[in-house]
Amino acid sequence: MALKRGFSISGLNKNRRGGSRLPIVVVIFFCVLSPLIFFVGRGLYTTSSSTDQNLNAVGSGKQHLNWRERLALLHVKSIFSKEVIDVITSSTTDLGPLSLDSFRKNNLSASWKVIGIDSSVEDNAASEPNQTATVVKQEAPKGKEDNISDDDSRSGDTPAKLARRQLREKRREKRAVELLRQDDEAIARLESAAIERSKLVDGAVLGKYSIWRKEMDSENSDSTVRLMRDQMIMARVYLSIAKMKRKLDLLQELQTRIKESQRVLGDSLADSDLHPSVPEKIKAMGQVLSKARELLYDCKLVTGKLRAMLQTADEQVRSLKKQSTFLSQLAAKTVPNGIHCLSMRLTIDYYLLPLEKRKFPRSENLENPNLYHYALFSDNVLAASVVVNSTIMNAKDSSKHVFHLVTDKLNFGAMNMWFLLNPPGKATIHVENVDEFKWLNSSYCPVLRQLESAAMKEYYFKANHPTSLSSGSSNLKYRNPKYLSMLNHLRFYLPEVYPKLDKILFLDDDIVVQKDLTKLWSVDLHGKVNGAVETCGESFHRFDKYLNFSNPHIAKNFDPNACGWAYGMNIFDLKVWKKKDITGIYHKWQNMNEDRVLWKLGTLPPGLITFYNLTNPLEKTWHVLGLGYNPSIDRSEIESAAVVHYNGNMKPWLELAMTKYRPYWTKYIKYDHPYLRNCNLSE
């Protein structure tokens, strides 16, 4: 700088003397710049040669820094960190600036970076810069950058720090290996579970789903079906708006598209069931809806139409539910043609028999208190035969079992004829006609007196005069014959029907016996009258479900949270019954319920009242209920039960029975029997 300043002053003096500056500039160029260019060029050549040697030695190189770069680095080092300077320095290689493209060309992962360790540049550095070896290191993951640094920084670490760093690295490696092992174990468990599930798929049974089916490829196998339905809903909305605004062309086009969508959609439930032309129909409907939106869209109007459609759909659902209830109750109260045919044929043949052939053997056992006595009240021949057959087939000694059957006069002949033709092994059986019980009259029995009253006839037969399916569902339930038949109320008169017996097991005709029941006679009832299985859960099948606790008589005498129990299989101690006057208690409450303010219908509510605090709970395995209405009963629970009960509308002899429960009942019927074949009764 001093030299330049001297030249500038001399030039200035020459200018002052009026001389030319051009010769001075030429002299400066040849005297100063030419030697500088020569030495710099030689230095570049030397540096280049040294760099080539280093490249051959370590497989990577770095261009030297010329004097301008060294000068710049002196000022830059005070601004940037050494890691940043290393990256900038490494970018001067022959590959050009550091970029992602350079990594892709060299097939290196983006998690790798070039870290160069350059030599320090001193202020008096007139010599060539020291060469640095370029090292390729893998970039450490986040959270571990503080453990990886350059050689210069590590050189200052103490041995203790180095030992701790190595220990940390070993722990990380060990943890990584452990995580990999856990991942492998989890994957193995998932694969095993998937294999087990695939084994459960029965591909040979039609109608069952397989995870390998085409429609199971996606999570939403009905997405297209739902899209079409949504389009049809919006099309109906715009249809009503177009009709209101007299857009006749758009109205006709919407009607056409709706019909096409309905025709293509049909009853499809999954996308795999749709016609191949569905995408075209969806596209055409979408175009019409876009057009309708441009012409007719009004947020308030569309919202109102959708709300009206929702209300209409809700009303339709309620109406269909009422109709479904009506039809199920209607089906439950009807007798199938086959069973009616069987009853008629047996009745005719019975009355053609001579009197001496109408008697059952072993009548001396009917009043023997040392035998096992069963009470069965039914007007269904086939159902009664299943109860008797299942009990005898599972009994250890059938000769000790006595069946007391009571039916009405219409089925008396049929019931006798069936068991005369099909005697239950060595067991004793006796059939009686409820209409021949002269003591069971309206002066003694409150139910008979109430059924003969005009108010009860109005309630049971003419309430609201239903004229349609939807309006008569509730009243039909009250008019079910089982609620009006004395066979259903005869259970409250067991000591009167069987005065010589001490204990008796009451069975409904919609049950199936699966085990020997003789142990029930040795169950200790702890001084109670009734042994039954309780049916209550946390908040259901308790007294408040069956009785009207708004009535003071009910509220004062009973606990609304008391547990309910089931009829269907009940062991009764007739000695305690007589002592407690159970029939008198029943009469008292039945008389109080003449206007039906205590309970509505059936025999369970008066049974809960009559046997209140007089019922001993049995183990649940004795009696499993719900096969006539509950489709989710566990199979193991059914098979371990002594008695299964088809309580509900879906009786096993009806077509609406649940097919998965029906085999437990049908296996006790011989469908090759001549009477059953003649009446077309089959499984």
Side-chain angles (χ1 to χ4, degrees):
M1 295 298 290
L3 182 60
K4 290 181 181 180
R5 189 178 297 111
F7 282 131
S8 298
I9 294 170
S10 63
L12 179 59
N13 294 331
K14 286 183 181 182
N15 286 337
R16 288 178 180 175
R17 293 193 298 266
S20 174
R21 291 185 297 177
L22 181 59
I24 297 173
V25 173
V26 173
V27 172
I28 292 172
F29 176 81
F30 284 104
C31 294
V32 178
L33 296 180
S34 294
L36 182 61
I37 293 172
F38 172 79
F39 287 112
V40 170
R42 185 178 179 181
L44 290 172
Y45 175 78
T46 305
T47 305
S48 177
S49 300
S50 176
T51 303
D52 293 338
Q53 293 175 1
N54 290 336
L55 283 170
N56 294 331
V58 298
S60 64
K62 183 173 72 173
Q63 288 182 346
H64 71 284
L65 302 178
N66 58 32
W67 70 275
R68 294 181 184 278
E69 292 172 334
R70 290 198 301 272
L71 189 61
L73 282 174
L74 289 174
H75 299 282
V76 169
K77 288 181 69 175
S78 61
I79 300 175
F80 297 103
S81 65
K82 191 171 188 309
E83 288 78 4
V84 176
I85 295 173
D86 290 342
V87 174
I88 296 173
T89 305
S90 66
S91 67
T92 64
T93 61
D94 293 335
L95 296 177
L98 185 65
S99 65
L100 292 177
D101 291 336
S102 66
F103 289 116
R104 296 191 186 100
K105 291 175 182 178
N106 288 282
N107 294 323
L108 293 175
S109 170
S111 63
W112 293 76
K113 69 181 181 181
V114 178
I115 302 176
I117 306 177
D118 62 327
S119 61
S120 61
V121 181
E122 304 295 338
D123 293 341
N124 59 353
S127 63
E128 298 176 2
N130 296 328
Q131 301 300 317
T132 58
T134 304
V135 181
V136 180
K137 288 186 177 181
Q138 186 176 8
E139 183 180 1
K142 292 182 179 180
K144 298 182 180 180
E145 295 175 355
D146 56 336
N147 297 323
I148 299 178
S149 62
D150 54 84
D151 294 338
D152 292 337
S153 62
R154 289 193 178 184
S155 62
D157 289 344
T158 63
K161 289 184 179 180
L162 289 174
R164 285 197 297 271
R165 183 183 295 111
Q166 292 175 357
L167 183 62
R168 284 197 297 269
E169 290 176 354
K170 288 180 181 180
R171 284 202 298 265
R172 291 192 188 97
E173 292 176 358
K174 185 177 179 180
R175 178 59 178 165
V177 172
E178 179 66 19
L179 290 174
L180 288 174
R181 186 185 63 78
Q182 292 178 2
D183 288 345
D184 293 340
E185 292 178 355
I187 292 172
R189 286 196 299 270
L190 290 173
E191 290 176 350
S192 301
I195 292 171
E196 292 299 324
R197 285 196 300 271
S198 65
K199 290 179 181 179
L200 299 176
V201 178
D202 189 359
V205 181
L206 295 178
K208 288 196 174 184
Y209 275 87
S210 169
I211 60 174
W212 313 117
R213 285 180 59 168
K214 184 176 180 181
E215 63 267 24
M216 300 302 291
D217 290 344
S218 60
E219 295 182 0
N220 299 321
S221 60
D222 61 342
S223 57
T224 306
V225 173
R226 288 187 282 114
L227 173 61
M228 291 190 69
R229 288 174 179 164
D230 290 343
Q231 283 186 332
M232 291 169 64
I233 291 173
M234 290 307 302
R236 291 190 181 98
V237 172
Y238 287 126
L239 183 70
S240 61
I241 297 175
K243 187 175 181 180
M244 182 176 63
K245 294 189 175 182
R246 299 185 180 277
K247 301 288 185 179
L248 301 182
D249 294 340
L250 184 58
L251 176 66
Q252 186 175 2
E253 192 172 0
L254 286 168
Q255 288 176 339
T256 303
R257 297 304 179 195
I258 290 173
K259 289 179 181 178
E260 289 178 354
S261 297
Q262 287 176 335
R263 184 166 53 253
V264 173
L265 184 61
D267 297 328
S268 300
L269 298 176
D271 294 350
S272 58
D273 301 329
L274 294 174
H275 193 269
S277 63
V278 163
E280 298 178 1
K281 304 299 181 184
I282 292 176
K283 183 177 179 181
M285 177 65 86
Q287 292 173 350
V288 176
L289 290 176
S290 297
K291 181 179 177 181
R293 180 183 177 86
E294 293 176 359
L295 297 176
L296 303 175
Y297 185 76
D298 182 340
C299 183
K300 186 175 181 180
L301 196 57
V302 170
T303 303
K305 292 294 181 182
L306 287 172
R307 186 181 294 110
M309 291 176 65
L310 180 62
Q311 291 174 351
T312 302
D314 187 52
E315 292 175 359
Q316 290 176 350
V317 169
R318 285 200 298 268
S319 176
L320 290 173
K321 282 185 177 180
K322 292 181 70 176
Q323 292 182 18
S324 175
T325 303
F326 179 92
L327 292 174
S328 63
Q329 292 172 359
L330 183 64
K333 71 184 286 288
T334 56
V335 178
N337 289 335
I339 296 179
H340 180 71
C341 166
L342 177 64
S343 180
M344 293 299 100
R345 287 178 178 272
L346 290 170
T347 299
I348 293 171
D349 292 345
Y350 175 76
Y351 287 108
L352 293 176
L353 288 177
L355 293 176
E356 61 272 13
K357 292 186 178 182
R358 298 182 186 178
K359 295 182 180 180
F360 291 98
R362 296 180 289 276
S363 59
E364 66 276 6
N365 292 335
L366 295 177
E367 296 182 349
N368 185 351
N370 297 320
L371 300 179
Y372 304 112
H373 294 265
Y374 300 84
L376 176 60
F377 308 147
S378 175
D379 57 359
N380 187 325
V381 176
L382 198 61
S385 71
V386 170
V387 175
V388 174
N389 290 343
S390 63
T391 305
I392 295 303
M393 290 177 66
N394 291 284
K396 294 180 179 178
D397 185 1
S398 61
S399 63
K400 295 183 178 181
H401 295 262
V402 182
F403 292 90
H404 302 268
L405 272 70
V406 179
T407 186
D408 54 19
K409 60 183 178 183
L410 292 177
N411 295 281
F412 177 73
M415 199 74 73
N416 276 281
M417 189 65 187
W418 176 263
F419 288 105
L420 287 171
L421 294 173
N422 307 280
K426 297 180 180 180
T428 303
I429 194 164
H430 180 60
V431 180
E432 295 180 273
N433 180 4
V434 68
D435 297 309
E436 294 180 357
F437 294 164
K438 302 302 180 183
W439 53 268
L440 196 63
N441 50 54
S442 57
S443 61
Y444 176 67
C445 179
V447 172
L448 281 176
R449 183 174 66 255
Q450 292 168 7
L451 289 175
E452 292 175 358
S453 66
M456 188 65 72
K457 290 178 181 179
E458 174 71 19
Y459 178 73
Y460 274 109
F461 298 104
K462 299 180 181 179
N464 297 331
H465 301 284
T467 58
S468 66
L469 289 176
S470 60
S471 62
S473 59
S474 59
N475 292 317
L476 184 68
K477 184 176 181 179
Y478 299 144
R479 288 175 288 170
N480 194 317
K482 73 176 183 179
Y483 298 125
L484 307 179
S485 173
M486 275 308 300
L487 288 175
N488 205 39
H489 293 268
L490 195 62
R491 65 193 68 191
F492 293 104
Y493 300 95
L494 291 176
E496 284 86 344
V497 182
Y498 311 109
K500 301 287 184 70
L501 301 180
D502 297 334
K503 277 189 176 182
I504 195 166
L505 183 65
F506 172 79
L507 298 176
D508 271 343
D509 63 355
D510 55 352
I511 63 102
V512 174
V513 178
Q514 300 186 129
K515 293 183 180 180
D516 182 58
L517 301 179
T518 55
K519 291 182 180 179
L520 283 170
W521 275 263
S522 59
V523 171
D524 185 5
L525 298 181
H526 301 94
K528 306 294 179 64
V529 180
N530 175 25
V533 171
E534 293 182 335
T535 58
C536 61
E538 293 182 358
S539 61
F540 55 90
H541 287 191
R542 297 187 180 272
F543 271 44
D544 58 353
K545 176 183 177 182
Y546 305 99
L547 305 176
N548 178 21
F549 275 86
S550 63
N551 185 281
H553 296 291
I554 297 295
K556 182 174 64 175
N557 292 282
F558 304 101
D559 179 8
N561 293 318
C563 190
W565 47 267
Y567 271 123
M569 189 213 71
N570 307 77
I571 183 73
F572 290 109
D573 188 331
L574 300 184
K575 286 185 176 180
V576 181
W577 182 307
K578 296 172 186 176
K579 187 182 300 184
K580 300 286 186 180
D581 190 19
I582 297 300
T583 304
I585 296 173
Y586 165 70
H587 284 173
K588 169 192 171 183
W589 287 100
Q590 192 67 50
N591 284 324
M592 294 173 62
N593 194 48
E594 187 166 359
D595 51 359
R596 300 170 305 283
V597 296
L598 305 183
W599 68 87
K600 289 295 183 183
L601 52 88
T603 55
L604 182 56
L608 296 175
I609 290 177
T610 303
F611 295 102
Y612 183 63
N613 290 331
L614 295 173
T615 299
N616 182 71
L618 302 177
E619 292 183 5
K620 293 187 180 297
T621 54
W622 279 113
H623 187 190
V624 171
L625 298 100
L627 277 71
Y629 69 89
N630 185 2
S632 59
I633 304 175
D634 189 75
R635 183 176 179 180
S636 61
E637 185 179 356
I638 295 174
E639 293 179 350
S640 64
V643 172
V644 292
H645 194 171
Y646 292 83
N647 57 314
N649 288 333
M650 300 179 183
K651 302 298 184 185
W653 55 83
L654 300 175
E655 291 185 2
L656 51 81
M658 283 182 273
T659 54
K660 68 176 183 178
Y661 297 149
R662 204 164 183 266
Y664 298 106
W665 188 80
T666 56
K667 70 178 182 179
Y668 294 104
I669 299 176
K670 295 180 178 180
Y671 284 99
D672 58 349
H673 195 283
Y675 278 92
L676 300 185
R677 287 203 311 268
N678 292 335
C679 291
N680 296 321
L681 284 168
S682 61
E683 295 185 52

